[in-house]
Amino acid sequence: QVQLVESGGGLVQSGSSLRLSCTASGFALDDYPIGWFRQAPGKEREGVSAISSDGTSYYVDSAKGRFTISRDNAKNTVYLQLNSLQPEDTAVYYCAAAASRARIGLPRVKDYNTWGQGTQVTVSS
């Protein structure tokens, strides 16, 4: 069974850090681009970062310099390190696997078809 499970979310103060994990079962994470997305209450789901099969990473402007995506093939896990968190980063964070193995750049919801259940990140001011 193909499955993605996120973990690592929590309630933190402004300026804090968190590391989110996305562990796959049923397939190898390094075979597909993996993206991180987030969805705040009342807003559409948006892409945050992605890592392609060859390890190339992509970040949206709001994530550059603060977030870092990485992958541990031995653990079949992709991480998203969140630093300097701000209240506007509050959202449910999802990881997803792309429908195609081809490199696809910045994460767009429509390019991904396998999703985890999400992990809540709440940043207080």
Side-chain angles (χ1 to χ4, degrees):
Q1 182 182 1
V2 173
Q3 190 175 16
L4 292 170
V5 178
E6 302 97 333
S7 62
L11 171 61
V12 297
Q13 292 187 331
S14 180
S16 299
S17 299
L18 284 172
R19 189 177 77 158
L20 307 183
S21 299
C22 171
T23 300
S25 58
F27 73 105
L29 274 179
D30 60 345
D31 280 346
Y32 293 87
I34 302 297
W36 280 98
F37 299 80
R38 65 186 182 185
Q39 187 166 19
K43 295 188 176 181
E44 292 187 353
R45 192 170 299 188
E46 63 177 3
V48 175
S49 179
I51 185 166
S52 63
S53 299
D54 66 2
T56 304
S57 56
Y58 303 88
Y59 302 93
V60 299
D61 286 345
S62 60
K64 289 179 182 177
R66 298 192 302 132
F67 298 173
T68 303
I69 193 169
S70 61
R71 187 176 63 216
D72 185 333
N73 293 339
K75 295 183 178 179
N76 210 24
T77 297
V78 169
Y79 303 98
L80 186 66
Q81 178 69 39
L82 309 175
N83 295 331
S84 302
L85 284 164
Q86 300 300 316
E88 53 265 34
D89 296 316
T90 295
V92 178
Y93 284 70
Y94 300 88
C95 68
S100 168
R101 298 187 180 208
R103 183 189 300 184
I104 52 177
L106 287 173
R108 299 178 300 183
V109 173
K110 68 182 183 68
D111 293 328
Y112 290 75
N113 66 349
T114 300
W115 294 82
Q117 83 291 349
T119 186
Q120 176 71 47
V121 172
T122 303
V123 185
S124 63
S125 57

